Amino acid sequence: MQEIITSSPAGTEALGAKIAEKLTGGEVLALFGGMGMGKTAFTRGLARGLGIQDGVSSPTFALVHEYHGRLDVYHFDMFRVTGWDDLYSTGFFDYLDSGGVLVIEWSENIEAALPQDAIRIEIRRGARENERIFQIEGIKP
C-alpha cells in the first residue's frame, strides 16, 4: 500500500492523471471516502489523463456517466445503493467485462461485489483544509 498526500484539488486531479498513465483497460478503481474528499476531482484528473475532454461530474443521480478517450471510463456513484437489487439496476456487472476503466465512488456500499483485483483508493482529510491523504493499493502511481 502506498500513501500519497495532495494539498489542493489541482493536486488531486494531477494524481488521477498520473494513475491514468498506468491503466491499460479493464481496471476497477474502488474509491472510498466521505463527502467532499475529492473522489470526483480525482476522477476528473484520471479522465483528463486518458484524453477525455468532456466535463466530469459526479453521477449522483444518473448513477453512471460514460466518457470516451484512450480508454472508456465508466464513472459510478454508489451512494444510494443499499442492496444487491440496487446494484444490479446500475448495470455494474455488465460493465465489468467492457474492457473500460470503472471508477466507483462510494465503494464501501458495494464492497462485497468488488472484484478481488480492484485497485483500492481510500481518501481522507489531511491536517489542512484542502489536504487529502490517499492510500492506494493495487497500483503504483
Side-chain angles (χ1 to χ4, degrees):
M1 184 177 311
Q2 194 166 26
E3 186 171 283
I4 295 175
I5 298 173
T6 63
S7 58
S8 66
T12 295
E13 287 186 30
L15 176 59
K18 186 175 180 183
I19 288 177
E21 295 172 6
K22 311 254 187 214
L23 302 178
T24 59
E27 293 91 353
V28 174
L29 281 72
L31 307 182
F32 297 83
M35 196 77 67
M37 288 298 105
K39 295 180 295 290
T40 301
F42 173 85
T43 304
R44 189 176 305 115
L46 184 116
R48 189 179 66 243
L50 291 173
I52 295 167
Q53 302 302 316
D54 298 339
V56 171
S57 61
S58 180
T60 302
F61 296 106
L63 297 180
V64 64
H65 286 165
E66 297 184 8
Y67 304 104
H68 306 286
R70 176 174 70 81
L71 298 170
D72 291 337
V73 173
Y74 305 108
H75 182 199
F76 286 86
D77 185 316
M78 299 298 186
F79 183 75
R80 289 179 170 73
V81 173
T82 60
W84 288 100
D85 289 340
D86 289 346
L87 183 58
Y88 278 106
S89 74
T90 68
F92 172 76
F93 294 103
D94 297 324
Y95 285 95
L96 285 174
D97 296 324
S98 69
V101 175
L102 277 66
V103 181
I104 306 163
E105 295 192 23
W106 298 100
S107 288
E108 42 275 85
N109 290 351
I110 65 158
E111 193 153 9
L114 293 173
Q116 251 186 345
D117 62 349
I119 297 166
R120 299 174 66 86
I121 302 174
E122 183 180 327
I123 311 167
R124 65 183 193 281
R125 192 174 309 281
R128 289 184 225 88
E129 182 179 341
N130 288 319
E131 189 176 83
R132 297 295 181 264
I133 301 167
F134 287 78
Q135 287 187 311
I136 302 171
E137 185 179 341
I139 193 169
K140 291 190 183 231

